[in-house]
Amino acid sequence: MNFISSMLQDLLNTLFSYTGDLGVSIVLITLLVKLILMPLSLKQKFAMRKQQDLVENMEHIKEKYKNNTKELEKQIQQHSAETMKSMLGCSTLLLQMPIVYALYNTFLNMPHNDRSVLIPWISSLNVCDNLFIIPCIYTLAMLAPNLIGLIPYFKASSKVAFNKHMVISTAIMSFILTAKTPVAIGLYFITSSIYSFVEDICFKIYIKQKNKLSFN
């Protein structure tokens, strides 16, 4: 873990020497790490998508073979094996955690005490935002994925109902998380959330187009 943190710190310093702006450097290194981890992230998304399909198939199997116990048990065994494989695919999130934690730790222990053109109202990236602009932006970035299902293009394919309580909880937790943390961490959270949102949109478009081609 210390090795990864040291490597990220060196990379951050290199980017800072080129950009001359610590805030821009934080955004760039966050995007770079996200791009490196993208294969794992996409693998996780495909696994979660498959998991959802398997849950739906299980309901269909139970209904189809409800009067044939022997065939039902056979189908459930086959389905369980596929479910285990899919769950292993979802575990790729754990492989990302050490790098994400090291990146967070790098920003938390930054020796620099600079301002950034990205947030001119802040005198130093090591202080919190007393105007609460950063927490508000992060909260909106975190709420964005919950609103994808409301977009007409995705609404037909969305099988998850809009959860008002989940949205409220997400908003409160997101605001609290960044209200008293250094602005550098807030920039990292915002960049990471926006990237994940864009990646999720692109993934949903790909799945929708794939399903359309399969249907045709």
Side-chain angles (χ1 to χ4, degrees):
M1 187 69 68
N2 291 334
F3 170 75
I4 298 176
S5 295
S6 177
M7 187 171 59
L8 290 173
Q9 183 66 62
D10 291 340
L11 179 58
L12 181 62
N13 290 334
T14 300
L15 289 172
F16 179 64
S17 67
Y18 280 103
T19 63
D21 188 303
L22 191 57
V24 174
S25 300
I26 289 173
V27 170
L28 290 177
I29 193 174
T30 303
L31 292 175
L32 181 60
V33 170
K34 283 290 186 179
L35 287 172
I36 293 174
L37 294 175
M38 186 171 63
L40 290 176
S41 177
L42 291 178
K43 185 175 181 180
Q44 178 196 355
K45 289 181 184 298
F46 278 112
M48 292 179 66
R49 177 77 184 188
K50 186 175 181 181
Q51 191 75 17
Q52 292 174 0
D53 292 339
L54 288 172
V55 170
E56 294 177 11
N57 289 339
M58 174 61 79
E59 296 300 321
H60 177 70
I61 288 171
K62 288 180 179 179
E63 179 64 25
K64 183 177 180 179
Y65 298 105
K66 60 182 179 181
N67 297 322
N68 189 339
T69 306
K70 186 176 180 179
E71 184 63 26
L72 178 61
E73 291 178 355
K74 179 182 177 181
Q75 292 293 329
I76 289 178
Q77 288 178 355
Q78 293 176 356
H79 186 275
S80 298
E82 288 295 322
T83 301
M84 288 300 297
K85 292 179 182 178
S86 177
M87 290 178 66
L88 289 175
C90 293
S91 66
T92 54
L93 176 63
L94 299 176
L95 300 177
Q96 303 179 46
M97 293 308 295
I99 298 177
V100 173
Y101 175 77
L103 187 63
Y104 174 85
N105 192 54
T106 298
F107 297 148
L108 196 61
N109 298 295
M110 286 188 313
H112 305 288
N113 193 33
D114 302 77
R115 63 169 65 225
S116 172
V117 68
L118 298 178
I119 40 177
W121 66 92
I122 299 294
S123 59
S124 171
L125 297 184
N126 286 331
V127 301
C128 59
D129 185 359
N130 292 326
L131 297 178
F132 301 109
I133 297 176
I134 292 295
C136 288
I137 295 175
Y138 177 59
T139 299
L140 292 174
M142 285 298 291
L143 288 177
N146 295 282
L147 304 177
I148 293 179
L150 300 179
I151 300 174
Y153 182 76
F154 299 111
K155 194 170 184 179
S157 61
S158 178
K159 301 180 178 63
V160 182
F162 182 78
N163 192 325
K164 182 172 67 175
H165 297 292
M166 179 64 71
V167 169
I168 294 174
S169 299
T170 299
I172 294 174
M173 292 302 298
S174 299
F175 189 88
I176 292 175
L177 182 63
T178 48
K180 293 300 180 181
T181 55
V183 171
I185 302 299
L187 272 179
Y188 160 66
F189 282 150
I190 290 171
T191 305
S192 181
S193 298
I194 293 176
Y195 174 89
S196 297
F197 175 67
V198 173
E199 184 183 80
D200 197 36
I201 286 287
C202 293
F203 178 77
K204 289 180 181 297
I205 291 175
Y206 169 78
I207 292 296
K208 191 174 182 67
Q209 293 298 320
K210 184 180 179 181
N211 290 340
K212 185 182 295 184
L213 289 175
S214 299
F215 180 77
N216 293 337

